[in-house]
Amino acid sequence: IDASEKSASGIEYADYGILVPPASDRSFRREITEDDRILAEAMVMVLSSPEMAEAMKNAAKKRAAEFTCERYLQQLTEMIGR
């Protein structure tokens, strides 16, 4: 999957996950919305490809490891020092 690839349905693909539009408030509604269809499409895509799910999991772990307190403090210190 190429990072930041966007499909016609509004799904954004990245190496570390799939971004779908936020769902609107669904409390006690029974009709299926376009956002529901988009989310279902993304879920089916990942669930039908264990290789894709594994690759996304590994990339997401690597990406999440970049967000550390140390890195945040370093960036903050650099910004303040300017």
Side-chain angles (χ1 to χ4, degrees), residues 68-82:
T68 64
C69 290
E70 292 81 16
R71 183 171 180 226
Y72 173 74
L73 288 174
Q74 177 187 8
Q75 291 174 336
L76 187 59
T77 303
E78 289 171 4
M79 287 174 51
I80 292 172
R82 292 183 189 172

Side-chain angles (χ1 to χ4, degrees), residues 30-77:
R30 294 185 187 268
E31 70 274 2
I32 296 173
T33 67
E34 184 60 24
D35 289 342
D36 296 331
R37 287 185 189 85
I38 292 170
L39 177 59
E41 177 185 332
M43 291 172 67
V44 166
M45 186 180 310
V46 173
L47 292 172
S48 64
S49 175
E51 297 83 15
M52 176 190 282
E54 183 71 19
M56 284 185 168
K57 177 189 82 170
N58 292 334
K61 282 183 176 182
K62 184 177 177 182
R63 177 86 170 124
E66 296 174 11
F67 298 95
T68 64
C69 290
E70 292 81 16
R71 183 171 180 226
Y72 173 74
L73 288 174
Q74 177 187 8
Q75 291 174 336
L76 187 59
T77 303

